[in-house]
Amino acid sequence: MQTDIEIARQARCLPMPEIAAMLGMPDTALLPYGHDKAKISQDFIKGLGDRPEGKLILVTAVNPTPAGEGKTTTTVGLGDGLAAIGKQAAICIREASLGPCFGMKGGAAGGGRAQVVPMEAMNLHFTGDFHAITSAHNLLAAMIDNHIYWGNDLQIDDRRITWRRVMDMNDRALRDIVVGLGGVTNGSPRQGGFDITVASEVMAILCLASDLDDLQKRLGDIIVAYRSDKSPITCRDLKADGAMTVLLKDAMQPNLVQTLENTPAFVHGGPFANIAHGCNSVIATRTALKLADYVVTEAGFGADLGAEKFLDIKCRKAGLAPDCVVLVATVRSMKMNGGVAKSDLGAENVAAVTAGCANLGRHLRNLQDYGVPVVVAINHFVSDTDDEIAAVKDYVAALDAEAILCRHWEQGSAGSLELATRVAEIADSGVADFAPLYGDDLGLFDKIDCIAKRIYHAVEVTAPPQVMAQLREWEAAGYGNLPVCMAKTQYSFSADPALLGAPEGHVIPVREVRLSAGAGFVVAICGEIMTMPGLPRVPAAETIHLNDLGQIEGLF
Amino acid sequence: MQTDIEIARQARCLPMPEIAAMLGMPDTALLPYGHDKAKISQDFIKGLGDRPEGKLILVTAVNPTPAGEGKTTTTVGLGDGLAAIGKQAAICIREASLGPCFGMKGGAAGGGRAQVVPMEAMNLHFTGDFHAITSAHNLLAAMIDNHIYWGNDLQIDDRRITWRRVMDMNDRALRDIVVGLGGVTNGSPRQGGFDITVASEVMAILCLASDLDDLQKRLGDIIVAYRSDKSPITCRDLKADGAMTVLLKDAMQPNLVQTLENTPAFVHGGPFANIAHGCNSVIATRTALKLADYVVTEAGFGADLGAEKFLDIKCRKAGLAPDCVVLVATVRSMKMNGGVAKSDLGAENVAAVTAGCANLGRHLRNLQDYGVPVVVAINHFVSDTDDEIAAVKDYVAALDAEAILCRHWEQGSAGSLELATRVAEIADSGVADFAPLYGDDLGLFDKIDCIAKRIYHAVEVTAPPQVMAQLREWEAAGYGNLPVCMAKTQYSFSADPALLGAPEGHVIPVREVRLSAGAGFVVAICGEIMTMPGLPRVPAAETIHLNDLGQIEGLF
């Protein structure tokens, strides 16, 4: 069997101007980056104005398991399937983070015959967007310490600096550091640390900003520190917002590449799906909607985290509304949710599949509560048995919903025609009547409580008094109308990664809250959330190399 | 009068394929990055094989003063001048560092009517090369701490880790830090720090490597730490060289842009000119020489540092030999070398000019000692008087050399025709008979001594016993044949930045030595060398912004 990279190397890519032409874009709209990727110019995007928008299809999934669900693969396969049935389609996905590629993470470009290319570039520097975000973030950090060094006119309390530094690398030694050592010329010693770039608020901002003006406004709004009287100091106070916008000027332009079957693919932005909202950029989605009749996009992690944020943060703030939601499940992941260990996934176990479907069923109902039609896509693995597949279909049918088997991983668009046909029908039908889960005017804690009870099915949300006090302070300061961004484990509806299936009676403990005033949400952290990963004992980096043909090996 | 950026915005740039065609390159040789810059593909470069090479012209300068000398401006002006007299010419310069642009440094793309465009891109992310170097450098750093975390099989002595981290930002707070705080999961606390990216040995390696194989070999040779028995641990021991090469694959391809007059410009690499050798990449120079009849390049700082390293490190190691050297001086810099304060530069002062010419004269003689013909280029400033210009010309004539007045800043190629004509004559004459200053087999300390006495005209070199012992250890370990890379102030022939002109009787104190085993040189540090700059009280970043037209303001 061919590996993903072997399949990708055989891709017959079309020149980028031909991909652009599929969406009615002239050559002049493209800023080429090599021959296989391009940015779409800001000027062209501005010129799109109020053009009518196509149908928006969200791909989300059950809670992730080590078995793999194939959300990106399904996004690609569905896009290719729509194209194959004669629709003008495009997909929108996130860019990959560089750091984890050297640890043990696989690529983020789909798999099998449902991939986006060039996959090597996508998993490395791509068009440099993440590097630009790193630079902009760290310029602000340098300007904070520099301001203190030169007299601290703004009276920054160096114990209350919330702005850390970032690097697109898995480097645990940088999580918690002391900076400014070595004497007077190096500044004042203080605690600091690095997060991985995808955890930067600048990343979240770039992905939510509607244009460069909005980008600069949001950057200016970032709260970087507090005075000893707890009054906030913003990026704008430090006059860093202009230079940061300059650094991000090119990065704000969406990237265009293609699938193995030459469907246009927008790949832009990639915020964390825990402490941020986990979706590709608004500007990419919006641009795609103005150019294509059908836009397939995805959200991070499972539907409890990813789809909830897509709907309650991105759609709410950008005025988007999905016309259809595709909920991806696999027989294998249902089995694991039903209690089967990863090592036993090879053996048929219909009972476990049915038991695990409780996870799928809950996500399905949750999504329907948003007023959007949902189709379940069963992403086929070669080891799945007919009875196991039937068990999933039966379970979904019993909920008055439909599940469609897809073989895009194995067959490309030929394996997703049924799904594509049905999704197009639903999207065209206009049955979707999307509304976010909660109103802007609900209190911050009540928003957390609403998500925890209605999406996670928790019985209670707990929070220490200082968290409650902090939320009230932010409400008093005018931030009460922001949505909340939940940071909890992606593996369970609960805050306990071991509780698979559809747990009941659990409590969601809010440990800490953070204000992302530029991005425009309040982060509620439930449990331990790692914002700077480490490398494993044997990092993938040890085997990544160029082969004798100059091709990259070991990256996936 | 128009600013540099206003002039640059009026540039009539040719499409990159037309620039490539001037050098006989087909479209397929280019990897476009937007419409105004491109990389030259590795495959095309390989195919150039043993093609005969053009003439190599080095532009260097007197010791830099706050008055400005215009070395890059003259490099551009001479390239345009050569093109204007009908020669097939190209220029080769370094890429700019991002960090200093937010402090107070001007652009690195020339000035006036002698500029390389697009200057904004060149001073920002350009084609991402420096970001790739930052990533490769920091991957190695992460793998060192990760190795220790997982049991330290290589027995790295964490007090003897020499590999720091890098960031392309002026951030003094990162110079001296403690990493690995916060408990077991974050690793072991140890001292560390960040340098600016241009100070990375990876940068020096990229600029000296002949191809990707050589790049990987050199990366593998980097010494990152020592065991407690002082035996070295290399990048190859950590198995990081393959992944670093993958990260640098695209960055190894030279960038092609153009001057305001559409002369092809190779802009590639930019190592520090103190702890590294300060020249653009060997691969760019070599590629340019195979494509153009005349290649004009420059070296960092003044001739005592920049040209010495260009000749003794880059030319020696890459087998290059300059056919002509252009030594840039200005009336203003001669005045400052003659004792005039910057605030008094506006007033005519012929005596000071003549006195300051001692600096010019010494550089001239030094360069002639390498067996290369030297022409002095007087880079004209509008405030220069005829008598001041005559004073420089007279001084140079008295040394049996020639000085040519150039007005390329004001006039473009029309102002450099005389210089271009003379330089072409000299290069064509074949009078150059280049030999490096010292042989490979000279001892390491003797190499330092040789440079200090013959180039700096010092009376003595001093070094503490541990430095002498270290040099002997490296000789015993097989590194004795490496050239030395001097790190001292660029403002004086001596180690004291205040000693202008042509000081005599000074002593060069070697404070510390470092082994850059991958780059292939031993660094001798004489005085305080800053490898991570800080931002000034009012950083340029505070005024950098996008104007209403979306153009970048304040960057220069």
Side-chain angles (χ1 to χ4, degrees):
Chain A
M1 203 174 67
Q2 287 185 309
T3 63
D4 284 356
I5 182 74
E6 285 165 354
I7 293 170
R9 282 187 193 142
Q10 291 159 10
R12 291 200 211 163
C13 292
L14 293 180
M16 291 311 298
E18 290 187 39
I19 300 296
M22 289 181 190
L23 300 174
M25 270 192 285
D27 269 34
T28 51
L30 297 186
L31 298 164
Y33 279 68
H35 297 295
D36 49 9
K37 48 196 182 300
K39 281 190 169 286
I40 301 174
S41 84
Q42 207 71 251
D43 288 341
F44 175 77
I45 293 172
K46 267 191 204 161
L48 292 175
D50 289 332
R51 199 192 272 222
E53 300 193 346
K55 301 294 181 186
L56 179 59
I57 298 142
L58 172 68
V59 176
T60 182
V62 296
N63 286 96
T65 67
E69 286 67 45
K71 201 169 48 194
T72 304
T73 304
T74 302
T75 302
V76 175
L78 176 54
D80 286 341
L82 286 163
I85 61 170
K87 306 293 188 186
Q88 192 203 33
I91 69 163
C92 280
I93 61 172
R94 287 171 292 170
E95 297 181 59
S97 180
L98 182 63
C101 293
F102 298 105
M104 52 187 181
K105 186 178 159 291
R113 306 222 164 259
Q115 294 186 53
V116 177
V117 283
M119 69 188 304
E120 298 98 326
M122 285 181 58
N123 285 290
L124 291 169
H125 309 292
F126 202 38
T127 60
D129 295 341
F130 286 17
H131 291 315
I133 289 164
T134 303
S135 294
H137 184 116
N138 291 335
L139 172 62
L140 177 53
M143 289 176 77
I144 295 168
D145 281 301
N146 191 58
H147 180 86
I148 295 171
Y149 178 84
W150 287 106
N152 200 8
D153 286 350
L154 289 171
Q155 295 182 278
I156 296 169
D157 181 346
D158 67 5
R159 304 162 306 172
R160 290 190 167 96
I161 297 172
T162 50
W163 195 250
R164 291 157 56 87
R165 290 174 173 83
V166 297
M167 187 186 283
D168 197 1
M169 193 57 65
N170 287 17
D171 192 346
R172 67 171 68 75
L174 293 179
R175 284 173 191 156
D176 197 347
I177 67 178
V178 170
V179 302
L181 297 171
V184 172
T185 56
N186 296 356
S188 310
R190 67 173 184 89
Q191 275 194 285
F194 279 76
D195 295 322
I196 192 162
T197 298
V198 290
S200 166
E201 187 177 347
V202 177
M203 174 70 85
I205 288 172
L206 183 119
C207 289
L208 287 168
S210 52
D211 56 26
L212 285 168
D213 289 340
D214 186 37
L215 177 75
Q216 177 157 356
K217 196 230 159 249
R218 287 169 180 269
L219 292 170
D221 287 343
I222 295 171
I223 293 173
V224 299
Y226 296 85
R227 296 184 184 82
S228 52
D229 67 4
K230 293 197 185 170
S231 60
I233 293 156
T234 65
C235 169
R236 191 176 296 110
D237 294 330
L238 286 157
K239 301 180 187 162
D241 49 325
M244 291 170 75
T245 304
V246 166
L247 279 167
L248 295 168
K249 179 175 185 273
D250 290 342
M252 262 296 277
Q253 301 174 124
N255 306 295
L256 184 68
V257 288
Q258 63 190 290
T259 70
L260 292 177
E261 298 192 14
N262 314 122
T263 304
F266 293 75
V267 181
H268 195 218
F272 250 27
N274 43 45
I275 62 154
H277 62 293
C279 310
N280 68 260
S281 75
V282 164
I283 199 167
T285 303
R286 186 120 263 163
T287 303
L289 283 169
K290 288 182 193 292
L291 295 169
D293 293 333
Y294 299 85
V295 174
V296 186
T297 190
E298 63 168 332
F301 294 151
D304 54 327
L305 278 172
E308 188 273 312
K309 294 178 188 186
F310 177 84
L311 298 167
D312 285 322
I313 299 177
K314 179 172 170 174
C315 286
R316 176 198 306 262
K317 290 300 172 184
L320 297 168
D323 297 285
C324 181
V325 175
V326 174
L327 177 58
V328 180
T330 57
V331 163
R332 291 157 57 89
S333 71
M334 291 302 93
K335 259 192 242 188
M336 288 196 83
N337 269 286
V340 174
K342 192 180 176 190
S343 52
D344 297 333
L345 285 175
E348 184 180 73
N349 190 335
V350 175
V353 169
T354 301
C357 277
N359 186 271
L360 171 62
R362 182 178 284 178
H363 286 296
L364 181 61
R365 288 287 186 240
N366 283 348
L367 289 163
Q368 287 170 334
D369 279 353
Y370 284 92
V372 289
V374 183
V375 181
V376 173
I378 306 172
N379 182 21
H380 185 257
F381 270 65
V382 288
S383 59
D384 298 349
T385 70
D386 289 346
D387 286 348
E388 287 174 328
I389 293 165
V392 179
K393 287 195 170 187
D394 291 348
Y395 184 95
V396 173
L399 296 174
D400 268 338
E402 55 191 317
I404 297 171
L405 187 69
C406 308
R407 297 176 184 268
H408 43 267
W409 181 86
E410 192 182 347
Q411 301 173 0
S413 63
S416 65
L417 296 177
E418 188 187 348
L419 178 68
T421 304
R422 189 69 191 108
V423 163
E425 277 172 13
I426 294 171
D428 291 342
S429 72
V431 298
D433 184 23
F434 167 69
L437 192 69
Y438 52 82
D440 287 348
D441 52 355
L442 200 66
L444 290 172
F445 183 79
D446 292 337
K447 287 172 180 164
I448 297 169
D449 193 69
C450 174
I451 295 167
K453 291 187 178 152
R454 291 188 49 195
I455 302 295
Y456 307 160
H457 297 241
V459 290
E460 192 189 353
V461 176
T462 59
Q466 62 271 29
V467 163
M468 300 302 289
Q470 179 66 81
L471 291 175
R472 282 191 297 268
E473 274 177 37
W474 287 333
E475 286 170 350
Y479 296 109
N481 62 336
L482 295 181
V484 293
C485 179
M486 302 296 287
K488 74 157 184 64
T489 176
Q490 66 267 38
Y491 299 113
S492 171
F493 276 105
S494 75
D496 174 359
L499 285 183
L500 305 190
E504 300 279 353
H506 54 279
V507 172
I508 297 291
V510 179
R511 194 168 54 88
E512 181 192 342
V513 284
R514 295 182 196 165
L515 175 56
S516 293
F521 50 68
V522 169
V523 184
I525 298 177
C526 315
E528 291 293 328
I529 298 298
M530 181 62 72
T531 51
M532 172 53 96
L535 291 169
R537 182 182 289 273
V538 182
E542 292 189 5
T543 48
I544 293 171
H545 66 280
L546 294 179
N547 66 20
D548 292 343
L549 299 172
Q551 296 166 327
I552 298 167
E553 298 284 359
L555 193 54
F556 313 100
Chain B
M1 203 174 64
Q2 288 186 308
T3 63
D4 285 356
I5 183 73
E6 284 165 353
I7 294 170
R9 283 186 192 143
Q10 291 160 9
R12 291 200 211 164
C13 292
L14 293 180
M16 291 310 299
E18 290 187 39
I19 300 296
M22 290 181 190
L23 300 173
M25 272 192 285
D27 269 31
T28 52
L30 297 186
L31 298 164
Y33 278 68
H35 297 294
D36 48 9
K37 48 197 183 297
K39 282 191 168 284
I40 301 174
S41 85
Q42 207 69 254
D43 287 343
F44 175 77
I45 293 172
K46 267 191 203 162
L48 292 174
D50 289 333
R51 200 192 272 223
E53 299 191 348
K55 302 294 182 185
L56 179 60
I57 298 142
L58 172 68
V59 176
T60 182
V62 296
N63 287 96
T65 67
E69 286 68 43
K71 202 168 48 192
T72 305
T73 304
T74 303
T75 302
V76 175
L78 176 56
D80 286 341
L82 286 163
I85 61 170
K87 307 293 188 184
Q88 191 203 34
I91 70 163
C92 280
I93 62 172
R94 288 171 291 171
E95 298 181 58
S97 181
L98 182 62
C101 293
F102 299 105
M104 54 186 178
K105 186 176 158 293
R113 308 223 163 258
Q115 294 186 54
V116 177
V117 283
M119 70 188 302
E120 297 98 326
M122 286 180 60
N123 285 291
L124 290 170
H125 309 293
F126 202 38
T127 60
D129 295 342
F130 286 17
H131 291 314
I133 289 165
T134 302
S135 294
H137 184 116
N138 290 336
L139 173 61
L140 177 53
M143 289 176 77
I144 294 168
D145 280 300
N146 191 58
H147 180 87
I148 296 171
Y149 179 84
W150 288 105
N152 200 8
D153 286 352
L154 289 170
Q155 294 181 278
I156 296 169
D157 181 345
D158 67 6
R159 304 162 306 172
R160 291 191 167 95
I161 296 172
T162 50
W163 195 251
R164 290 157 56 88
R165 289 173 174 85
V166 297
M167 186 186 282
D168 197 1
M169 192 58 65
N170 287 17
D171 193 347
R172 66 171 68 75
L174 293 179
R175 285 174 190 154
D176 197 347
I177 67 177
V178 170
V179 302
L181 296 171
V184 172
T185 56
N186 296 354
S188 311
R190 67 174 184 89
Q191 276 194 284
F194 279 75
D195 295 321
I196 193 162
T197 299
V198 290
S200 166
E201 187 176 347
V202 176
M203 174 70 85
I205 288 172
L206 182 120
C207 289
L208 287 167
S210 52
D211 57 26
L212 284 169
D213 289 341
D214 186 36
L215 178 74
Q216 178 158 354
K217 195 226 159 256
R218 287 170 181 269
L219 292 170
D221 287 343
I222 294 171
I223 294 173
V224 298
Y226 296 86
R227 296 184 184 83
S228 52
D229 67 3
K230 292 196 186 170
S231 59
I233 293 157
T234 66
C235 169
R236 192 176 296 110
D237 293 332
L238 286 158
K239 301 180 186 160
D241 50 325
M244 290 170 74
T245 305
V246 166
L247 279 168
L248 295 169
K249 180 174 184 275
D250 291 340
M252 262 295 278
Q253 301 173 125
N255 307 296
L256 184 69
V257 287
Q258 62 190 292
T259 69
L260 291 177
E261 299 192 12
N262 313 123
T263 304
F266 293 75
V267 181
H268 195 220
F272 250 27
N274 44 45
I275 64 156
H277 62 293
C279 310
N280 68 261
S281 75
V282 165
I283 199 167
T285 304
R286 186 121 263 161
T287 303
L289 284 169
K290 287 182 193 294
L291 295 169
D293 293 333
Y294 299 84
V295 174
V296 186
T297 190
E298 64 167 332
F301 295 150
D304 54 327
L305 278 173
E308 188 272 313
K309 294 177 187 187
F310 177 84
L311 298 167
D312 285 322
I313 299 177
K314 179 172 171 175
C315 287
R316 176 199 306 263
K317 289 300 172 184
L320 298 168
D323 296 286
C324 181
V325 175
V326 174
L327 177 59
V328 180
T330 58
V331 163
R332 289 157 59 88
S333 70
M334 292 301 93
K335 261 192 239 187
M336 288 196 85
N337 268 287
V340 174
K342 193 180 176 190
S343 53
D344 298 332
L345 284 176
E348 183 180 74
N349 190 334
V350 175
V353 169
T354 302
C357 278
N359 186 271
L360 172 62
R362 182 179 283 179
H363 285 297
L364 181 61
R365 289 284 186 244
N366 283 348
L367 289 163
Q368 288 171 332
D369 278 354
Y370 282 93
V372 289
V374 184
V375 180
V376 172
I378 306 172
N379 182 20
H380 184 258
F381 270 65
V382 287
S383 59
D384 298 349
T385 70
D386 289 347
D387 285 349
E388 288 175 329
I389 293 165
V392 180
K393 287 197 170 186
D394 290 347
Y395 185 93
V396 173
L399 295 174
D400 267 339
E402 55 190 319
I404 297 172
L405 187 69
C406 309
R407 297 174 183 268
H408 42 268
W409 180 86
E410 193 182 348
Q411 302 174 0
S413 63
S416 65
L417 296 176
E418 187 186 349
L419 178 69
T421 304
R422 189 67 192 109
V423 163
E425 278 173 12
I426 293 170
D428 291 343
S429 71
V431 297
D433 185 23
F434 167 70
L437 192 70
Y438 53 81
D440 287 347
D441 51 355
L442 200 65
L444 290 172
F445 183 80
D446 291 338
K447 287 170 180 165
I448 299 169
D449 192 69
C450 173
I451 295 167
K453 290 186 177 150
R454 290 187 50 196
I455 303 293
Y456 308 159
H457 297 241
V459 290
E460 192 189 354
V461 177
T462 60
Q466 62 270 32
V467 163
M468 300 302 289
Q470 180 64 81
L471 292 174
R472 282 191 298 269
E473 274 176 36
W474 286 335
E475 286 170 350
Y479 296 109
N481 62 337
L482 295 181
V484 293
C485 179
M486 302 296 287
K488 74 158 183 63
T489 177
Q490 66 266 37
Y491 299 113
S492 171
F493 276 105
S494 74
D496 174 359
L499 284 183
L500 305 190
E504 301 279 352
H506 54 280
V507 172
I508 297 290
V510 179
R511 193 168 55 88
E512 182 193 342
V513 285
R514 295 182 196 167
L515 175 57
S516 293
F521 50 68
V522 169
V523 185
I525 297 178
C526 314
E528 291 294 327
I529 299 298
M530 183 61 72
T531 51
M532 172 53 95
L535 291 170
R537 181 181 289 271
V538 182
E542 293 189 4
T543 47
I544 293 171
H545 67 280
L546 293 180
N547 66 21
D548 292 343
L549 299 171
Q551 296 167 327
I552 297 168
E553 298 284 358
L555 194 53
F556 313 101

